[in-house]
Amino acid sequence: MSLGGGKGGVGKTFLSSNLSAVLARSGKRVVAIDTDLEGANLHTWLGVAPPARSLADYVAGRETDVQGLPVETPIPGLKLITGTHGHLSMPQPDAETRARLLADLRGLNCDVVLIDCGAGAHPATVDYFLAGDDALIVLHPEPTSIENGYSFLRAAFYRRMELVMRKGDVRSLVREAMDQRNALGIRTPHDLLREVEAMDPEEGRRFREEMGGFRPRIVVNEVASAEDVKLGFQVRMVCRRFFGMDAEYTGYVNRDEAVREAVNLRRPVTDIRPQSDAAVYVRRIARKLLEAMP
Amino acid sequence: MKSLSEMTHYEVLEVGRETEGADLERAYRMARAAFAEDGLASYEACPPEEAAAMRERIELAYRVLSDPDARQGYDATLGSTPDDAVPIEFGLDPASDEDIAPPEVEPEIAGFDDLEDAEDVAFDGARLRRARLRHGFDIERIAQVTKINPTYLRLIEEEEFEDLPASVYVRGFVSAFARCVGLDAERVVPAYMDRFLAARPPAAGGRRGQAHASRQA
Ligand SMILES: Nc1ncnc2c1ncn2[C@@H]1O[C@H](COP(=O)(O)OP(=O)(O)O)[C@@H](O)[C@H]1O
Ligand SMILES: [Mg+2]
């Protein structure tokens, strides 16, 4: 599964660390991976010192086997691939390396791989996000996060469509649509669907199918009011209407001082303050994710 | 995915063909908030004219579906094609097994179960707040229903026991609060009052009675 959201500081890494801890504590063998090579800090949330080997070694070609990357964490059943020691002038791998990485991750000997994505909508970040069978988009109840969240979803949507379209001309149409000011007047996923259908009915059918299959989950972090809680339902409605996506509103977490306390101790809040609001909310989300797992 | 003109009024509001009354009202409010011009949820989601068109459709859908005659006439024009499925999580009938008791007030939202009972989570102020948020109520709504001063409700959630009135009042407040948010008052009240009395032993009651009186004024 993957956690993304476009904006930095919305709680992707907080949720990645805590969800992976809860999943591990519930008996799953989990590998969490920090793909934020420019701002890696998942290891800190989990109390792991920067290890000798990291994802950056794989990207730089110093390590060719993903199997060799996971290191132990203080939490039994949870291993971690850190994103530390990145190459500063070449922070993200090329598309080919990425594809190999994501395929290799599926070969890891564990039940769940949890991918923590960085901020922004860089193609690499989008690919990591799309790699999840379950993809969580983390939002804050504020306009900046909502705005970045939608641009991220839009990028993810177009990228996913580009990957599944088979005909070259349809693929280049999708690529062209990614430019928000494209000359074809394609402004929304719906416009694009119409164009694709007009161009090639068979691809159009595939497009529709794929649209229905893309079901990201919404999590609203740092809620402070009932209005904030409702925001998730509203975003789901907007996604359905404008992106044709059947997103699911999986949960919310309130703003809780216990989170800061936990990160200062470099331990999951679900471990040090299991009765805190944040811990209860994280467990509720984890439970929904567990229900959806095979 | 349908274009706006292909969508039925039911699809626009994301309700079933049978939805009416308070449920319809709630769905309408949610849809309106989702696409509101200055609202957060649709901020930068689409070109402004698309959001405006959606808002118009929401108003029209509600006008028709909330008027029995207009609705009957509209239904007669609908073909037999079923609507796009309404997402289950907003299926306003939360009657989940895990709900301890139905809340006394119709919840604003549904879909988040109370999973805490199974986990043996304490009945504290935070639990009351979580139950409140789970139903989409703000403090003011609870105050309206229970007729309890919203400041006290907030203090109860925050467990700021020092500023609350005498325990006999608090007991009543907590009981009403719990019922309002679908928690079993018979379990919440003793557990909450244990916490309260541990922090504020009964001997200290007199002074608070005074504080209470002045606060009411
Ligand atoms: N629910 C929460 N309550 C309080 N503070 C939070 C919460 N979630 C995140 N934070 C704070 O926000 C900061 C950013 O969170 P982080 O998970 O690192 O964001 P991201 O990975 O999305 O950039 C953290 O330092 C953390 O202390
Ligand atoms: Mg992060």
Side-chain angles (χ1 to χ4, degrees), chain B residues 138-174:
Chain B
D138 52 26
I139 289 270
E140 281 61 39
R141 179 82 180 117
I142 308 281
Q144 207 179 45
V145 174
T146 60
K147 313 275 190 293
I148 299 170
N149 182 336
T151 306
Y152 290 158
L153 294 171
R154 214 164 274 125
L155 293 172
I156 287 171
E157 283 189 356
E158 300 298 328
E159 297 202 337
E160 296 194 4
F161 299 133
E162 285 302 307
D163 295 323
L164 279 165
S167 66
V168 54
Y169 296 101
V170 176
R171 183 179 297 274
F173 295 164
V174 171

Side-chain angles (χ1 to χ4, degrees), chain A residues 18 256-263 265 267-283, chain B residues 121 124 126 129-130 195:
Chain A
N18 279 270
D256 191 342
E257 269 307 304
V259 172
R260 198 187 310 272
E261 236 175 84
V263 73
L265 292 171
R267 294 185 59 194
V269 71
T270 45
D271 277 4
I272 62 149
R273 295 275 305 276
Q275 294 260 342
S276 67
D277 263 359
V280 170
Y281 284 128
V282 167
R283 283 200 300 275
Chain B
V121 173
D124 56 6
R129 180 175 55 232
R130 289 194 297 269
R195 302 172 69 84

Side-chain angles (χ1 to χ4, degrees), chain A residues 213-228:
Chain A
F214 186 27
R215 302 202 56 192
R217 294 172 180 272
I218 301 163
V219 175
V220 184
N221 186 31
E222 298 203 41
V223 302
S225 68
E227 280 319 297
D228 294 345

Side-chain angles (χ1 to χ4, degrees), chain A residues 3-17 36 39 41-42 45 116-119 138 140 220-223 252-261 263-264 269 278 281-282:
Chain A
L3 282 93
K7 190 168 178 298
V10 294
K12 296 179 292 293
T13 306
F14 153 63
L15 277 163
S16 295
S17 56
D36 189 354
N41 57 16
L42 180 57
W45 285 86
D116 181 16
C117 298
V138 185
H140 251 195
V220 184
N221 186 31
E222 298 203 41
V223 302
Y252 50 89
V253 181
N254 71 330
R255 188 184 307 144
D256 191 342
E257 269 307 304
V259 172
R260 198 187 310 272
E261 236 175 84
V263 73
N264 282 335
V269 71
Y281 284 128
V282 167

